[in-house]
Amino acid sequence: MNHITSDPLDRHRFPLDDWALVETHVDGDDEGTTETLFALGNGYLGFRGNVEEGRDGHVHGTFINGFHETWPIRHAEEAFGFARVGQTIVNAPDTKVVRLYVDDEPLILNDADLLSFERRLDFKTGVLSRELEWRTPSGKRVHIRSRRMVSFTDRHLAVLDYEVTLLDADASLVLSSQIINRQDRQDDYLTNAPEPGMGDPRKAESLTERVLQPRYKLIDGPRAMLGYQTTNSGMTIVAGADHTIETDNEYEVSTHIEADLAKHVYTIRGRAGVPTKLTKIISYHTSNAVPPKELADRCARTLDRSGENGIESAIRNQELWLEDFWARSDVEIHGQPAVQQATRWNLFQLAQATARTDGGGVAAKGVSGSGYGGHYFWDTEIYVLPFLSYTAPLVARNALRFRQNMLDAARSRATELNQHGALFPWRTINGLESSAYYAAGTAQYHIDADISYALRQYVAATGDEDFLARGAVDIFVETARMWADLGFWRANGKDSFHIYGVTGPDEYTTVVNDNLYTNVMARSNLLSAVEAVERLRVDDPASFGRLVSRLSLDDAEIAEWQRAAEHMHIPFDKRLGIHPQDAQFLEKELWDLDHTPPEHLPLLLHFHPLVIYRFQVLKQADVVLALLLQGDHFTDEEKLADFDYYDPLTTGDSTLSAVVQSIIAAEVGYQRLALKYFWSALFVDLANLHRNTPDGVHVASTGGVWSALVLGFAGMRDHGGVISFSPRLPVDWQGITFRLTVKETRVRISVRRTEMRFTVEEGDSASFVVAGGDVLVEAGTTVTVPLDNQGPHLVGEPSASDIEGSRRADGSLITVSMPTIALGPADTESIPIIQPQSE
């Protein structure tokens, strides 16, 4: 497996800047990647980083969280309970287009003679700005400056301005501002977007029939609106824009509207040195059922209000919002400028994916692209919610309310799969299971435990018991019921509780018995349910009474959860001294990753699942993730043994893996390896390390970057509501500083090699455990805790060669191999890997 160990970016093109991502020249070869890197969003509305001129582009994308189309899933072979309704995010009407013509010559960025260029995504203002100088084919020099922003303070608002100045000669200027339904019309220009990759499950489904049915259109003076209803899901949308032009040049304006296109065209008699500035205030409103006419009224109110306040007011509000965000969320990495810039880009992406979800889910790509069809996964609860619970509790609460509102659908899904309680869908937008491949999808029952884990962590971090009392406790109850029903008892000297026929986080090993991650997380889920119900019984008898009545709960059922948790089977192989990933995992041979060519990764794009399933090989951390989330149930020796075994078997084909491996590598002592994994996670999108950044930001990985810093290098754990620290700072780092909000008290925490410092910035007090000792920090004080050491330092990295030749419990040898096809006389150096045609 390859890890990056140094800055992978071209710093001539992307110079270092602590508070921005800056690009100094255009390169059309990686348009898809830069469209993602410079995307804007607020959790509800997202604009890809396409150029305003609207021609050049990989995928011109505008996305609304949860705005989707449905379609019937047609299985080659049907079976009861298979997912029936596919869901995929819709490319919303594009409002960010402003086309420029000088003497009727269009500005086409990839072909233009650019004398200067800079594009800047500012993390403090949330504004994407661009400034360039263009020499037209006739030799005239034109200065162009543009800004755009998607508002964090008004979820339905975006703003854009576009300023053109002729520098050395008069010329005819045309600015064509447009709203285009790209989902169906696909513009008048072909882009470089490839066809969806066959066999690549990371890409969105391609819809071949018309998706957006025209329902509303309006041009009234400077205002334009287009409204639609999706063909199958019945969702509605209206996109609107108001225009203002400021110039001392003479100009004329004309308008045009049709079902999929609205245009305001400004024809300007441009004079040298006289700027022309077009401002566009944009609004989107969507609904599950509200008619487009009413949505148009809502858009009109947003545009009216924002027009009165002006674009500069919107930008100032954005700055104030981000000032508060960074006060809560920033992580400072002292003396590491490349790490600092990349960290802030990742944290900014978390804001863009989550800030204004407002009761919606957090999609795997946020609102930055169409990857994974805009679906929500368990990624949110395990990788994003920890960041939100400790920096933005209201946003975390909204994300959990989204799951709470999905309970009825989850109950129905459990019934369909012959289970009591509730079973949340592995991937979804509307609450229905959308995974057509059950083995690596629906069988991931662990999502119930993941949601329960996030809920328990949120309540511990915030003290928001009221959230549980007002109905969120139902999540604990219904998921516990599912586990109690799914598992079964087996007696062999002592009673034990087993869970069969599930898939853990590792999708290269499916439908197994006693998956370790699933069992330890189910145990946690059951105990969380017991704890929450009993606490409610004592602290809020009225709410407890309503819970009992609402869910027909009785004491015998609660006792059953307790007993199942206490007797949960936790696999352990005494001979190897490790926890098997599942009951049969150790019976397989090892996949020889050391000799697998990098071009044959990820394995899922080059090998049939049945080939992969026959080997000990992991797509992503599974047992190692359990060591993180349930670390208080494993000894230090067990963690090291498990990491040594599973790390060399993990391909890293999933972006969910590197951050977890970094955290546990740091904990057990592989400090250099921890830093390598961290770099790989930090730059997974910035350097397009998985070659699918054009499909959108890997939001879970951005959340994992925060976890790798805070849980990994600062050594934070939050087991049982007790927040502890055992730092593992990289040897070359001076230190890191971050903030945690714990029960309404925000604490600034600084980690150095020889000490930790705690300062209350807001609130009263907070308590922690540092290296085994209790620490209380109160308002107005700074507490300094000396550090004697920062854990063990192990040399080298775990290797599969250390496992090869070991013996299983039955005495058989563990060997290493990989699938091959012999093309002639035995010549192992020339035998290729099996590679079915894929993307």
Side-chain angles (χ1 to χ4, degrees):
M1 290 163 288
N2 296 318
H3 312 290
I4 63 169
T5 57
S6 60
D7 188 350
L9 297 186
D10 175 359
R11 289 303 177 182
H12 295 290
R13 182 182 176 193
F14 299 104
L16 285 170
D17 188 311
D18 280 356
W19 287 102
L21 179 65
V22 180
E23 182 185 30
T24 60
H25 67 264
V26 177
D27 186 344
D29 291 339
D30 63 358
E31 271 181 328
T33 297
T34 55
E35 286 170 11
T36 293
L37 300 186
F38 288 96
L40 294 176
N42 64 8
Y44 169 74
L45 168 64
F47 288 167
R48 283 181 61 77
N50 307 110
V51 298
E52 284 83 359
E53 293 76 24
R55 290 188 177 82
D56 307 295
H58 175 79
V59 174
H60 291 275
T62 302
F63 299 105
I64 307 290
N65 187 5
F67 184 68
H68 69 280
E69 178 64 309
T70 56
W71 41 276
I73 298 176
R74 294 181 174 86
H75 300 274
E77 295 186 16
E78 292 286 349
F80 180 81
F82 277 12
R84 291 283 177 260
V85 180
Q87 308 141 43
T88 191
I89 197 166
V90 173
N91 195 351
D94 187 356
T95 57
K96 60 185 180 293
V97 178
V98 178
R99 292 192 171 131
L100 170 64
Y101 303 82
V102 177
D103 289 336
D104 298 325
E105 294 290 341
L107 173 58
I108 303 175
L109 215 62
N110 284 339
D111 298 331
D113 181 7
L114 299 181
L115 304 179
S116 65
F117 175 88
E118 182 180 282
R119 177 161 57 165
R120 178 184 181 88
L121 177 59
D122 193 304
F123 309 146
K124 285 188 173 182
T125 65
V127 172
L128 176 63
S129 59
R130 188 192 65 179
E131 190 165 356
L132 62 90
E133 186 175 330
W134 171 37
R135 182 162 52 202
T136 70
S138 64
K140 296 179 180 179
R141 290 167 46 235
V142 185
H143 181 264
I144 301 160
R145 181 188 293 117
S146 65
R147 298 181 300 173
R148 76 171 81 144
M149 184 196 79
V150 175
S151 175
F152 287 118
T153 59
D154 187 334
R155 73 195 299 250
H156 300 284
L157 176 68
V159 296
L160 179 155
D161 62 21
Y162 193 98
E163 182 178 272
V164 182
T165 305
L166 298 164
L167 297 180
D168 57 2
D170 297 348
S172 168
L173 301 177
V174 173
L175 291 174
S176 178
S177 174
Q178 305 184 9
I179 304 176
I180 305 172
N181 170 20
R182 294 188 185 274
Q183 176 68 49
D184 297 300
R185 193 174 193 273
Q186 292 299 310
D187 198 5
D188 297 323
Y189 303 91
L190 296 176
T191 68
N192 298 322
E195 291 297 317
M198 291 300 294
D200 188 343
R202 302 170 299 183
K203 294 184 179 293
E205 297 81 7
S206 179
L207 301 173
T208 57
E209 304 297 325
R210 184 172 180 102
V211 173
L212 295 175
Q213 301 295 336
R215 293 290 185 264
Y216 184 85
K217 61 183 179 180
L218 168 79
I219 278 193
D220 182 9
R223 179 168 295 179
M225 292 188 191
L226 292 177
Y228 301 90
Q229 184 171 34
T230 54
T231 302
N232 297 320
S233 70
M235 298 191 74
T236 52
I237 183 171
V238 171
D242 271 354
H243 300 80
T244 303
I245 189 167
E246 302 172 65
T247 185
D248 289 333
N249 292 312
E250 295 180 4
Y251 69 91
E252 298 173 350
V253 60
S254 62
T255 61
H256 171 79
I257 192 166
E258 56 188 72
D260 294 320
L261 177 67
K263 293 197 294 187
H264 280 72
V265 180
Y266 297 86
T267 304
I268 304 148
R269 289 178 280 282
R271 292 176 286 139
V274 180
T276 298
K277 182 177 181 180
L278 178 64
T279 299
K280 199 170 182 179
I281 298 176
I282 297 163
S283 179
Y284 288 83
H285 282 263
T286 55
S287 174
N288 289 326
V290 172
K293 180 61 176 69
E294 181 177 334
L295 294 184
D297 293 341
R298 297 179 187 178
C299 272
R301 289 193 291 271
T302 302
L303 295 174
D304 289 343
R305 182 180 65 252
S306 302
E308 291 173 2
N309 296 331
I311 185 174
E312 297 304 330
S313 175
I315 290 176
R316 178 57 182 155
N317 289 338
Q318 189 87 331
E319 291 174 353
L320 292 173
W321 191 95
L322 282 166
E323 183 179 312
D324 177 66
F325 171 79
W326 290 115
R328 294 180 281 106
S329 309
D330 192 22
V331 181
E332 301 163 61
I333 298 97
H334 310 295
Q336 298 287 332
V339 175
Q340 183 68 82
Q341 181 191 37
T343 294
R344 286 190 174 129
W345 181 88
N346 278 272
L347 296 178
F348 185 69
Q349 299 312 312
L350 283 169
Q352 295 203 128
T354 66
R356 298 308 306 272
T357 50
D358 293 5
V362 180
K365 297 293 186 179
V367 285
S368 66
S370 62
Y372 293 109
H375 291 165
Y376 316 123
F377 295 80
W378 64 284
D379 310 14
T380 301
E381 282 72 28
I382 297 303
Y383 293 88
V384 178
L385 260 296
F387 167 78
L388 295 177
S389 291
Y390 286 102
T391 66
L394 177 61
V395 182
R397 192 178 195 272
N398 282 336
L400 290 166
R401 283 186 62 245
F402 169 73
R403 291 298 194 182
Q404 182 184 351
N405 292 335
M406 201 184 285
L407 256 177
D408 282 343
R411 291 184 180 107
S412 296
R413 183 59 172 163
T415 300
E416 190 173 30
L417 269 67
N418 202 37
Q419 305 296 156
H420 293 306
L423 179 58
F424 286 93
W426 176 67
R427 67 184 296 171
T428 191
I429 296 178
N430 62 11
L432 301 179
E433 178 62 77
S434 186
S435 173
Y437 184 54
Y438 75 89
T442 300
Q444 294 197 46
Y445 284 65
H446 65 83
I447 188 169
D448 268 19
D450 301 329
I451 293 169
S452 168
Y453 174 88
L455 176 58
R456 183 182 187 185
Q457 183 180 64
Y458 164 78
V459 173
T462 63
D464 188 3
E465 300 287 346
D466 178 66
F467 182 48
L468 289 180
R470 294 176 60 196
V473 68
D474 293 14
I475 293 176
F476 283 139
V477 172
E478 297 290 34
T479 53
R481 283 174 165 168
M482 193 282 297
W483 293 119
D485 185 50
L486 179 66
F488 66 94
W489 291 94
R490 174 169 291 174
N492 185 14
K494 63 177 182 179
D495 287 345
S496 59
F497 192 76
H498 296 259
I499 298 173
Y500 279 10
V502 299
T503 297
D506 170 34
E507 294 160 19
Y508 286 172
T509 312
T510 65
V511 193
V512 298
N513 298 337
D514 286 325
N515 169 254
L516 178 95
Y517 176 88
T518 301
N519 284 19
V520 298
M521 291 296 286
R523 177 177 63 186
S524 174
N525 191 162
L526 290 161
L527 291 174
S528 294
V530 173
E531 176 188 326
V533 169
E534 294 298 346
R535 189 165 60 245
L536 200 63
R537 187 201 300 265
V538 173
D539 296 342
D540 191 345
S543 294
F544 176 76
R546 288 191 291 271
L547 169 66
V548 169
S549 175
R550 184 169 65 245
L551 299 185
S552 301
L553 184 63
D554 60 40
D555 288 345
E557 188 174 15
I558 299 169
E560 179 187 9
W561 302 341
Q562 180 80 39
R563 181 167 175 259
E566 291 173 350
H567 292 267
M568 183 70 68
H569 176 66
I570 307 300
F572 187 76
D573 187 288
K574 293 181 179 179
R575 183 154 195 165
L576 293 173
I578 65 165
H579 293 89
Q581 183 170 302
D582 60 71
Q584 291 80 40
F585 187 80
L586 299 182
E587 297 175 8
K588 307 171 185 178
E589 300 306 311
L590 305 183
W591 186 297
D592 190 357
L593 284 178
D594 289 341
H595 294 94
T596 300
E599 61 270 20
H600 292 152
L601 298 174
L603 298 183
L604 78 162
L605 299 186
H606 301 277
F607 297 90
H608 191 282
L610 287 176
V611 177
I612 299 171
Y613 295 166
R614 296 187 185 109
F615 287 82
Q616 290 188 48
V617 63
L618 280 67
K619 182 183 178 187
Q620 64 201 71
D622 195 298
V623 171
V624 173
L625 181 57
L627 303 181
L628 171 62
L629 302 183
Q630 300 295 314
D632 53 336
H633 294 283
F634 298 89
T635 67
D636 291 345
E637 293 75 18
E638 288 172 342
K639 290 177 184 178
L640 177 59
D642 285 341
F643 185 81
D644 281 347
Y645 192 91
Y646 290 104
D647 187 70
L649 307 184
T650 307
T651 62
D653 286 350
S654 169
T655 58
L656 302 181
S657 202
V659 290
V660 178
Q661 290 168 280
S662 175
I663 294 168
I664 300 302
E667 180 179 358
V668 301
Y670 290 108
Q671 305 300 320
R672 291 290 181 185
L673 181 58
L675 193 57
K676 289 179 181 179
Y677 278 128
F678 174 71
W679 275 86
S680 296
L682 187 65
F683 286 95
V684 69
D685 283 320
L686 286 164
N688 192 19
L689 297 181
H690 280 238
R691 301 189 297 278
N692 66 339
T693 297
D695 296 332
V697 172
H698 292 87
V699 173
S701 185
T702 66
V705 165
W706 182 87
S707 292
L709 289 164
V710 176
L711 278 62
F713 299 142
M716 172 187 156
R717 296 294 184 271
D718 56 353
H719 299 309
V722 176
I723 300 176
S724 63
F725 292 93
S726 183
R728 300 290 194 267
L729 199 65
V731 293
D732 299 330
W733 286 19
Q734 298 173 14
I736 62 175
T737 300
F738 57 96
R739 285 85 177 160
L740 293 179
T741 299
V742 182
K743 297 180 180 177
E744 299 184 345
T745 295
R746 190 176 77 220
V747 184
R748 183 176 72 250
I749 302 170
S750 180
V751 181
R752 302 280 179 166
R753 297 219 61 79
T754 59
E755 66 180 26
M756 288 189 72
R757 289 188 178 182
F758 299 83
T759 305
V760 172
E761 293 186 332
E762 283 187 1
D764 299 324
S765 65
S767 59
F768 306 100
V769 174
V770 179
D774 294 333
V775 174
L776 174 66
V777 56
E778 297 178 303
T781 65
T782 294
V783 176
T784 301
V785 182
L787 298 173
D788 294 333
N789 64 75
Q790 297 210 10
H793 283 257
L794 302 177
V795 178
E797 303 177 4
S799 170
S801 61
D802 298 328
I803 305 171
E804 186 178 12
S806 300
R807 292 189 181 274
R808 301 180 179 87
D810 63 2
S812 60
L813 284 174
I814 298 176
T815 60
V816 175
S817 62
M818 59 182 175
T820 59
I821 296 177
L823 298 181
D827 178 2
T828 56
E829 292 187 0
S830 63
I831 295 176
I833 298 288
I834 299 173
Q835 184 180 354
Q837 292 189 1
S838 59
E839 64 176 359

